[in-house]
């Protein structure tokens, strides 16, 4: 007893028990080390130390302890070792260790189900959980039921229909039930389950005395899923509001951050590509261990798509290569890669990427061929489509044949489409009109007239078809054209038409838009005002202002509208008069306007020579050139 009171076996076991109850596993580890030092052959002590290391997430130390401790001292630790490998994401090693455990070990079976879920082997996980729910019951039933619903959600996503039971009572079960309903496209039921999950989650965590920040962080995942359901239901504004509120809270859950980053661009109608690129870059750098394989792949796929839309060709190419290296190729990846190759101008490589039997890839390949003007290959693809008999495919094939100048084949295709019994009247009309155009294009007016006659019988009230038939008859049978025209437009036809008004209107020549513009420009005056001439004879409101020296008895100046410089009373200023001197060409003399020139008679005496007028530059003083004086000095 003295040894026990001094810290013996009893005291160590008590410390370990208390630490397990309080969750203080560091203290439990110290007690286990103390127990091992005193009792190195005790198997329980090594097991306690291993469990404490696992609870403290010291995976490397736990594996070292297993390797260094002999098997007879440690005992069977297959489950513990498998759990360590599972937490280190080494799922294959974990499964090998679990195979060494007892087949009826419940903990080992549940861990196997978790590993199957991680490896996307959902049917195996479903079978294990279904067996445990039917044949075993303990305190973990609530968590087991939630995990079973998560597996059902993944199976529903793969196309395996699931039956749900109304036994959900915890918020995690309600959340996973909503996931199953989302995959089954039962969105209103999923929204109702998420609303219940929000209420249950808050109430449960309040009862557990959790902090408000912790409660909000737990609610975020449910809110984001609710926003996703609203987005799928077309309520994008409400979904975007929830996304932005959760994003502003900036909680630590990496899966929530990644989901928001992925969903905001698709929920927003005017999202910025540059901002989306930054968000995806940030989301790809976070810890993605909590994301499922499907979520990680979707995140990388959308990142490549945003890079493609931003015309970031080289980054998009690298993103696609990384995506293919991690998750392999798929239809979505092929479509993005082919679009990138078309932008890079490599049409042949894009066609190689799109090789497949999927209808979307076939249509994408057809699109590439049509853009490259490779019409014969495009025609063969259209004919090989599984929807080639549909009206849309037939119309596309006919248009392509006409573009390839194969009018005969186009007529055959239209006749084949017209023979279908499930056509509506509108479809028949479209096909017959296309037949008329095709026959006219190849010069077969007789067949075109026959098709117009069929159209006229089926649609007698369509005036346009009847007029086209009149035009066709005018070339082949004028009498029929006259009779049909008289039937359509009889002379006794009472039509309330004002011929003079039509002749005077300009909109007949220039169209309806011209008339609308003309009416818009015309003043919006009433007819009564125009008739009574009130608009023309309206009195001026502004008072007339007369000059101060106005005399009504004196006639106004007739030069009042001339510029001041051109009036006869205008006197130039001195500086302006000086500008007039010397104007004109050099050497010319200014003419006097007041001199009257009269032609000289032959008997008049010849005038004596007078002084010749000089130009302005010649009227200068005559300076004599002065001779330069010689400067004295010695000569060299």
């Amino acid at each position: 007893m003295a040894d026990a009171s001094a810290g013996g076996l009893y005291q160590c076991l008590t410390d370990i028990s208390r630490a397990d109850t309080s969750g203080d596993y560091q203290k439990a580890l110290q007690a286990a080390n103390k127990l091992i030092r005193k009792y190195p052959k005790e198997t329980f002590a090594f097991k306690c130390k291993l469990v404490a290391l696992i609870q403290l997430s010291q995976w490397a130390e736990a594996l070292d302890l297993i390797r260094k401790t002999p098997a007879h001292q440690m005992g069977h630790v297959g489950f513990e070792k498998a759990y360590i490998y599972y937490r280190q994401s080494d799922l294959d090693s974990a499964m090998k260790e679990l195979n060494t455990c007892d087949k009826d070990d419940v903990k080992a079976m549940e861990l196997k189900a978790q590993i199957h879920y991680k490896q996307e082997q959902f049917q195996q996980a479903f079978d294990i959980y279904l067996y445990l729910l039917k044949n075993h019951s303990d305190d973990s039933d609530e968590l087991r039921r939630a995990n079973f619903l998560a597996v059902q959600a993944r199976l529903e996503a793969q196309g395996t229909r699931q039956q749900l039971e109304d036994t959900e009572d915890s918020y995690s079960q309600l959340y996973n039930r909503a996931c199953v309903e989302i995959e089954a496209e039962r969105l209103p039921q999923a929204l109702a389950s998420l609303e219940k999950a929000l209420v249950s989650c808050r109430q449960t965590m309040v009862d557990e005395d959790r902090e408000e920040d912790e409660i909000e962080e737990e609610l975020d995942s449910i809110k984001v899923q609710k926003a996703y359901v609203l987005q799928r239901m077309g309520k994008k504004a409400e979904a975007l509001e929830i996304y932005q509120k959760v994003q502003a809270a900036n909680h630590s859950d990496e899966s929530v951050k990644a989901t928001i980053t992925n969903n905001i661009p698709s929920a927003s109608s005017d999202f910025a590509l540059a901002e989306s690129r930054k968000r995806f870059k940030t989301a790809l750098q976070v810890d993605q261990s909590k994301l499922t394989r499907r979520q990680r792949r979707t995140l990388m796929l959308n990142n490549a798509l945003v890079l493609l839309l931003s015309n970031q060709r080289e980054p998009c190419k690298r993103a696609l290569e990384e995506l293919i290296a991690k998750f392999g190729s798929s239809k979505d990846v092929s479509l993005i890669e082919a679009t990138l190759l078309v932008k890079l101008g490599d049409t042949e490589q894009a066609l190689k990427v799109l090789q497949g039997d999927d209808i979307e890839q076939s249509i994408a390949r057809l699109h590439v061929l049509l853009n490259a003007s490779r019409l014969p290959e495009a025609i063969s693809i259209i004919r090989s489509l599984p929807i080639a008999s549909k009206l849309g495919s037939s119309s596309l094939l006919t248009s392509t044949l006409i573009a390839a100048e194969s009018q005969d084949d186009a007529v055959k295709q239209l006749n084949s489409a017209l023979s279908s019994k499930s056509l509506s009247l509108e479809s028949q009309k479209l096909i017959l009109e296309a037949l008329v155009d095709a026959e006219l294009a190849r010069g077969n007016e007789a067949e075109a007239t026959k098709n117009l006659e069929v159209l006229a019988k089926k649609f007698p009230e369509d005036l346009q078809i009847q007029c086209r038939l009149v035009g066709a008859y005018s070339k082949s049978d004028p009498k029929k054209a006259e009779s049909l025209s008289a039937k359509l437009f009889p002379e006794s036809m009472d039509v309330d038409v004002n011929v003079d008004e039509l002749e005077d209107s300009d909109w007949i020549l220039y169209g309806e838009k011209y008339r609308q513009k003309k009416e818009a420009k015309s003043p919006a005056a009433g007819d009564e005002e125009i008739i009574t001439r009130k608009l023309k004879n309206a009195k001026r409101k502004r008072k007339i202002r007369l000059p101060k020296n106005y005399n009504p008895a004196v006639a106004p100046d007739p030069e009042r509208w001339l510029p001041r410089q051109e009036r006869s009373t205008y006197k130039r200023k001195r500086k302006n008069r000086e500008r007039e001197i010397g104007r004109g060409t050099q050497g010319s003399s200014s003419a006097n306007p007041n001199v009257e020139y009269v032609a000289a008679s032959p008997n008049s005496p010849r005038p004596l020579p007078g002084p010749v007028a000089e130009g302005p530059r010649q009227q200068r003083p005559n300076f004599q050139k002065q001779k330069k004086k010689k400067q004295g000095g010695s000569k060299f």
Side-chain angles (χ1 to χ4, degrees):
M1 291 297 294
D3 189 27
S5 62
L9 177 61
Y10 178 76
Q11 185 63 40
C12 291
L13 294 176
T14 304
D15 292 341
I16 291 173
S17 178
R18 289 175 180 174
D20 184 37
T21 304
S22 63
D24 188 359
Y25 293 102
Q26 188 63 42
K27 190 173 182 180
L29 180 61
Q30 294 173 359
N33 285 330
K34 188 175 181 181
L35 189 62
I36 289 172
R37 286 195 297 271
K38 290 192 175 185
Y39 304 97
K41 296 182 179 181
E42 181 60 46
T43 303
F44 178 76
F46 289 98
K47 272 287 185 72
C48 288
K49 182 177 180 179
L50 179 61
V51 172
L53 289 171
I54 291 173
Q55 292 289 349
L56 294 171
S57 300
Q58 298 179 10
W59 317 118
E61 291 81 354
L63 285 176
D64 288 339
L65 178 63
I66 294 173
R67 292 191 191 100
K68 293 177 181 179
T69 306
H72 66 276
Q73 289 185 334
M74 178 65 73
H76 187 268
V77 289
F79 172 78
E80 290 80 2
K81 196 173 181 180
Y83 183 77
I84 294 170
Y85 285 134
Y86 170 77
R87 294 302 300 271
Q88 289 182 330
S89 300
D90 189 357
L91 302 181
D92 294 334
S93 300
M95 187 61 74
K96 288 179 181 179
E97 294 295 331
L98 286 174
N99 289 332
T100 63
C101 298
D102 187 4
K103 293 183 179 180
D104 296 330
D105 189 349
V106 175
K107 294 187 297 182
M109 292 174 70
E110 286 187 327
L111 187 54
K112 274 187 179 181
Q114 288 288 340
I115 293 172
H116 284 310
Y117 182 85
K118 287 277 187 181
Q119 292 177 336
E120 298 189 2
Q121 299 171 355
F122 301 119
Q123 189 59 50
Q124 291 88 326
F126 176 86
D127 295 338
I128 293 174
Y129 280 125
L130 185 62
Y131 173 81
L132 290 173
L133 287 171
K134 288 182 177 180
N135 300 293
H136 189 78
S137 179
D138 54 18
D139 296 337
S140 301
D141 283 344
E142 181 180 320
L143 180 60
R144 194 175 293 124
R145 174 66 182 167
N147 291 339
F148 179 64
L149 287 169
V151 173
Q152 283 186 297
R154 300 278 71 81
L155 286 172
E156 186 73 41
Q158 290 182 348
T160 305
R161 297 300 174 193
Q162 301 296 310
Q163 296 293 331
L164 295 177
E165 299 178 1
D166 295 330
T167 57
E168 296 79 17
D169 50 4
S170 67
Y171 68 88
S172 58
Q173 292 178 6
L174 288 167
Y175 175 85
N176 289 340
R177 178 187 178 88
C179 292
V180 179
E181 290 166 338
I182 290 171
E183 298 296 345
E185 299 294 334
R186 297 194 294 268
L187 299 180
Q189 294 88 331
L191 187 61
S193 298
L194 289 169
E195 293 287 356
K196 293 179 183 178
L198 286 170
V199 176
S200 176
C201 179
R202 177 171 289 279
Q203 185 62 43
T204 301
M205 300 193 80
V206 167
D207 294 343
E208 295 175 358
D209 295 330
R210 302 284 188 92
E211 297 290 336
E212 185 63 27
D213 290 343
E214 191 177 356
I215 295 174
E216 290 297 327
E217 188 169 354
E218 188 70 20
L219 289 171
D220 279 349
S221 58
I222 305 176
K223 291 178 181 177
V224 169
Q225 195 75 341
K226 177 184 174 182
Y228 172 70
V229 174
L230 291 171
Q231 182 180 346
R232 290 279 301 276
M233 294 174 70
K235 302 177 181 179
K236 293 187 177 181
E238 298 178 36
L240 191 60
E241 184 180 357
I242 296 174
Y243 287 142
Q244 290 172 346
K245 284 183 179 180
V246 175
Q247 190 178 39
N250 195 22
H251 290 135
S252 59
D253 194 340
E254 302 296 347
S255 61
V256 171
K257 291 180 180 178
T259 304
I260 291 174
T261 301
N262 185 74
N263 291 0
I264 280 182
S266 58
S268 178
S269 58
D270 55 348
F271 72 96
L273 287 172
E275 185 66 24
S276 298
R277 286 202 311 270
K278 293 178 182 178
R279 288 179 177 175
F280 274 112
K281 185 176 180 181
T282 304
L284 290 170
Q285 291 174 351
V286 301
D287 182 19
Q288 299 183 6
S289 60
K290 290 187 177 181
L291 300 178
T292 63
R293 178 184 175 87
R294 179 185 176 187
Q295 288 174 325
R296 293 195 300 271
R297 181 185 172 279
T298 303
L299 193 63
M300 294 182 70
L301 185 69
N302 287 342
N303 177 51
L305 183 59
V306 168
L307 290 172
L308 177 68
L309 295 176
S310 305
N311 208 22
Q312 302 287 319
R313 299 180 182 181
E314 287 302 322
C316 178
K317 186 178 180 180
R318 291 194 295 269
L320 286 173
E321 289 174 354
E322 184 180 358
L323 177 61
I324 294 172
K326 287 187 176 180
F327 301 102
S329 183
S330 64
K331 178 180 67 177
D332 298 333
V333 177
S334 299
L335 293 174
I336 296 176
E337 188 178 1
T339 307
L340 178 61
L341 289 169
V342 169
K343 285 191 172 186
L344 292 172
D346 194 351
T347 304
E348 291 297 332
Q349 189 62 30
L351 292 172
K352 289 181 181 178
V353 170
L354 291 171
Q355 291 295 333
D357 298 333
D358 186 79
I359 186 170
E360 291 186 21
Q361 289 182 327
S362 299
I363 292 175
R365 191 162 63 252
L366 171 63
H367 194 185
V368 174
L369 290 170
L370 289 173
N371 286 338
S373 299
R374 294 164 62 169
L375 300 182
E377 298 175 64
I379 290 170
S380 63
I381 288 180
I382 298 173
R383 285 175 170 164
S384 65
L385 288 174
I387 56 172
S389 59
K390 300 291 184 180
L391 187 59
S393 300
S394 179
S395 174
L396 178 61
L397 179 57
T398 304
S399 303
T400 310
L401 288 169
I402 293 172
E405 298 182 356
S406 300
Q407 281 82 6
D408 295 341
D409 293 336
V411 170
K412 290 179 182 178
Q413 179 63 31
L414 287 170
N415 286 321
S416 175
L418 189 62
S419 62
S420 178
K421 297 180 180 180
S422 60
L423 288 176
S424 62
L425 280 176
E426 188 64 28
S427 300
Q428 292 179 23
K429 180 181 178 182
L430 292 173
I431 295 173
L432 284 169
E433 288 177 345
L435 260 174
V436 171
D437 295 336
E439 293 289 2
L440 290 174
R442 66 175 185 169
N444 194 350
E445 295 182 359
E447 287 296 328
T449 305
K450 289 181 181 179
N451 291 320
L452 281 172
E453 290 174 348
V454 175
L455 272 171
K457 288 179 181 179
K458 291 190 174 184
F459 304 96
E461 297 179 358
D462 195 327
L463 188 60
Q464 186 176 4
I465 294 174
Q466 302 291 339
C467 291
R468 288 188 71 181
L469 185 57
V470 170
Y473 281 154
S474 64
K475 296 179 182 180
S476 59
D477 194 346
K479 292 183 179 180
K480 283 187 178 181
E482 290 179 5
S483 63
L484 181 59
S485 178
K487 182 180 178 182
L488 292 174
F489 307 104
E491 293 182 0
S492 61
M493 186 176 179
D494 296 330
V495 181
D496 188 12
V497 177
N498 191 341
V499 179
D500 296 332
E501 183 181 352
L502 289 175
E503 289 179 350
D504 294 337
S505 61
D506 296 331
W507 68 272
I508 293 178
L509 298 176
Y510 302 109
E512 183 69 18
K513 292 185 178 179
Y514 175 80
R515 184 181 67 82
Q516 293 175 359
K517 289 181 180 179
K518 190 173 180 181
E519 289 179 355
K521 290 182 179 179
S522 62
D527 295 338
E528 185 180 354
E529 292 181 354
I530 295 173
I531 294 170
T532 57
R533 300 180 63 84
K534 286 183 179 180
L535 288 176
K536 189 173 182 180
N537 301 330
K539 293 184 178 180
R540 296 179 60 176
K541 295 181 180 179
R542 188 174 62 182
K543 187 179 179 181
I544 300 175
R545 297 177 62 185
L546 297 173
K548 292 181 179 179
N549 56 354
Y550 173 70
N551 187 0
V554 179
D557 185 6
E559 296 182 352
R560 63 188 182 278
W561 302 120
L562 294 175
R564 196 172 66 174
Q565 291 84 351
E566 297 179 10
R567 297 180 189 178
S568 59
T569 58
Y570 176 70
K571 291 183 180 181
R572 299 181 185 276
K573 294 183 180 179
R574 180 173 293 276
K575 59 180 181 179
N576 293 339
R577 283 184 289 180
E578 290 175 356
R579 289 178 187 170
E580 299 296 327
I581 299 174
R583 286 193 176 183
T585 58
Q586 295 184 5
S588 65
S589 60
S590 59
N592 189 355
N594 298 322
V595 176
E596 183 177 358
Y597 294 93
V598 179
S601 61
N603 298 326
S604 62
R606 184 175 294 178
L608 296 175
V612 181
E614 298 177 347
R617 293 186 181 179
Q618 295 174 358
Q619 298 175 1
R620 295 184 297 179
N622 232 348
F623 293 106
Q624 294 181 356
K625 294 183 179 180
Q626 298 180 359
K627 295 182 179 180
K628 292 184 179 180
K629 294 180 180 181
K630 293 182 179 181
Q631 296 181 358
S634 60
K635 296 180 179 179
F636 293 97

